[in-house]
Amino acid sequence: MAYQNLISELKDNILYITINREKALNALNKDTLAELADVVAFAGKTEEIRGVIITGAGEKAFVAGADIKEFSDYTGKQGEELARSGQDLVFNAIENSKKPFIAAVNGFALGGGLELAMACHIRIASENAKLGLPEVTLGLIPGYGGTQRLTQLVGKGKAIEMIITANMITAVEAEKIGLVNYVVLQTDLIGKAEEILNAIKQRAPLAVAAAIKSVIASINETDGYDTEIKEFGKCFETSDFKEGVTAFVEKRKAVFLGK
Ligand code: CAA
């Protein structure tokens, strides 16, 4: 399939998706999200696809988050809509897919980038990867399921610390707290993902799908996601959000006033 912001390739029953906006550190703008929604749906309905590997173009970033420049003047309503459609069409669609998704985290996985990796069923990080949810530096909170999935993966204490400090952690720290399954050399990243999918390919496809569905059912907290969507929208109404985004664009430190 031909996309503008993704490279998608099907080989040996594995669909390889590369987010391809290297100059913007593979940030997820609207067009990329729409293409991701399309390719995720394609993976779900194409029988010969037995697993999916998602990675980012280049050696610096998996995905550095949602495209900040695109939503700098959003209203609360638009923020809510962004989070809701993103969650429905991409992040929840990946998590609820019948096909196993592996995130090959080849560098920065920040904000929406870490949320994308967390929506996948398995995460492998390269040694140089840095992971974090820096939204509060912009006067925002995660909006693509991050508050829920990080808590599910690492527990409430670590999740709150990571989200409200906005600190990034290394791949090795991420493995220690259960945020990634493996840490490997960058050159071995795709090979490790293929090794796992090749093992899964030996298993019964319907059972694999049923197992994924059952595990996800055990953690499905609909109210939590809804709260996040509404709070994400509200952030767009604050002055601190405007300050955070302006400071990012002007490459200076933000001065927050708590309003
Ligand atoms: N959105 C848009 N553009 C981005 C971006 C993003 N999330 N992240 C990086 N870029 C762009 C930069 O603006 C820059 O573009 P220009 O060359 O045109 O100026 C280019 O990518 C390279 O980035 P830097 O020059 O900043 O690279 P660096 O090595 O100095 O820093 C970084 C790397 C620490 C990852 C830094 O780019 C950064 O902090 N990025 C933003 C991370 C972030 O805040 N992500 C959360 C977004 S909000 C979100 O995701 C909400 C949600 O949950 C839905």
Side-chain angles (χ1 to χ4, degrees), residues 14 16 53 104 124 184-198:
I14 296 176
Y16 296 80
I53 298 173
I124 306 166
V184 297
L185 292 173
Q186 192 160 51
T187 45
D188 296 340
L189 194 55
I190 299 300
K192 182 69 188 172
E194 286 169 340
E195 180 192 314
I196 295 171
L197 283 182
N198 285 334

Side-chain angles (χ1 to χ4, degrees), residues 160-236:
I160 289 183
E161 181 187 341
M162 279 182 67
I163 293 168
I164 69 178
T165 63
N167 288 341
M168 292 183 216
I169 62 171
T170 63
V172 170
E173 287 170 308
E175 186 185 24
K176 207 164 90 188
I177 63 173
L179 182 52
V180 302
N181 300 59
Y182 300 97
V183 180
V184 297
L185 292 173
Q186 192 160 51
T187 45
D188 296 340
L189 194 55
I190 299 300
K192 182 69 188 172
E194 286 169 340
E195 180 192 314
I196 295 171
L197 283 182
N198 285 334
I200 296 170
K201 270 166 34 182
Q202 310 304 312
R203 317 299 174 221
L206 293 178
V208 168
I212 293 173
K213 188 171 178 183
S214 303
V215 172
I216 300 308
S218 76
I219 51 172
N220 203 4
E221 294 279 353
T222 313
D223 285 351
Y225 289 109
D226 210 50
T227 302
E228 177 180 283
I229 288 168
K230 294 201 172 94
E231 294 304 312
F232 181 76
K234 281 189 206 161
C235 290
F236 286 86

